Amino acid sequence: MIKELLQNKKLLAVILTYNGEKHIQQVINDLKKEPYISDILVVDGESKDQTISIAEELGAWVIVIPSRLGIGGAMEMAFLFAKTNGYDYLVRIDADGQHIPQYIVDLLVPVLKNQADIVIGSRFKNGWKSSYKPSLARFFAIRFFSLFISRLIHQKIYDTTSGMFAVNCKIIDYLSNIENSEYSEVVAYLVLKKAHFKILEVPVPMNERIGSQSSFTVVKSFYYVSLGVLALMLTKMTKNQ
Amino acid sequence: MTVRIQFFFILFSVLLLAGILELTRRKKIRIKYSLFWIFVSVIFLTFSLYRKFLFKLADIMGVYGAENALFIIAILCILLLLVTVSVIVSRIFFENKKLTLKLGLLDWKVKQLEKKIKE
């Protein structure tokens, strides 16, 4: 079915990496098993380990940019790449193997059917789909952001920090030349909603965090929540381009 | 305002002016920005030379002591300038990011072409 919907359209899969040699091979190989993906792009933040050479050997496109541009800059690079090379759709999955490439189809179908401009893979919609069990502090941070952003954009969003999504060419176009894009997952919802894009959240099973054990303490989560709230309110104020 | 602090103010504004001119001469600062500083130092110099202005100004502002009026003006000017600098730095950051991304794209393209030539 996915083949028919895609026709001759080109789909780019994007992975952002930084010193991720442990999982990169697995992730790229899993992506290659999905026949509807045209190409794989790795945007790397100047990894000091073998990440770049492993990715290149496996036949993925690799673009290296300075890590100080952050996830936002790397994502912008990916959108710019997709735009200049004429891709119609783009999916992103995390480099640490927590996202399962088989489920990209679940995200892609609503985009292909024009039901949404961006579809986000959610851990929390329809209950906790994954075996993911956060610390209490992190749990509250997640809940708080979910409530806060839902109020801001008048749409229920459950997973505000998911790194797995699929977008169509309208969003590729929009995000590839957005001037003031201090992208973070949370802020991106607001930016896109302000530009009147349709957002859809789809429940997707995920692996447990195999990568780094995240150290999310009470102090840290308080810090991130306050920063996030401020960033959101400031973004709400900004002019639309 | 004592003569000593007046002397200090005059000396400072002359040094500032000289410093800015020297920086401009050595092309360490853009003429666009050096104009602002020359303007500032000339104003500062005028106020420290003509005490009457300053007394009047302090009176209008409701400040005791003419030198306090000068301090307040200086601090406000500095704040204004710092905000301007933040705007400039942000713009430079965005431009720099744009260039970096374009470079990333070109880099990739060159690699592809090189591969093609080899084949």
Side-chain angles (χ1 to χ4, degrees), chain A residues 56 61-66 68-69 73-74 76-77 80-81 84-85 178-182, chain B residues 90-91 93-109 111-112 115:
Chain A
E56 269 173 347
W61 306 135
V62 180
I63 293 185
V64 184
I65 60 169
R68 72 184 157 75
L69 293 180
E76 214 177 321
M77 181 76 253
L80 190 67
F81 180 90
T84 30
N85 292 301
I178 185 163
E179 177 97 322
N180 188 349
S181 65
E182 315 266 336
Chain B
S90 303
R91 199 192 58 222
F93 171 78
F94 292 133
E95 284 167 359
N96 178 276
K97 185 173 73 175
K98 215 175 237 173
L99 281 176
T100 312
L101 297 188
K102 278 220 174 110
L103 190 69
L105 211 57
L106 285 176
D107 221 35
W108 174 82
K109 237 173 220 169
K111 255 191 226 162
Q112 299 310 307
K115 245 189 235 164

Side-chain angles (χ1 to χ4, degrees), chain A residues 213-236:
Chain A
Q213 196 64 43
S214 66
S215 54
F216 211 77
T217 60
V218 179
V219 179
K220 257 193 193 164
S221 68
F222 186 76
Y223 173 74
Y224 281 118
V225 167
S226 337
L227 255 184
V229 166
L230 270 175
L232 278 171
M233 291 191 326
L234 289 174
T235 310
K236 181 99 182 164

Side-chain angles (χ1 to χ4, degrees), chain A residues 69-113:
Chain A
L69 293 180
I71 295 177
M75 241 7 263
E76 214 177 321
M77 181 76 253
F79 285 122
L80 190 67
F81 180 90
K83 197 194 169 191
T84 30
N85 292 301
Y87 288 92
D88 305 281
Y89 302 98
L90 182 152
V91 291
R92 179 200 155 190
I93 69 166
D94 273 2
D96 62 3
Q98 69 162 317
H99 300 140
I100 308 159
Q102 278 164 273
Y103 294 105
I104 288 175
V105 181
D106 292 17
L107 305 187
L108 215 50
V109 169
V111 175
L112 294 176
K113 283 185 174 166

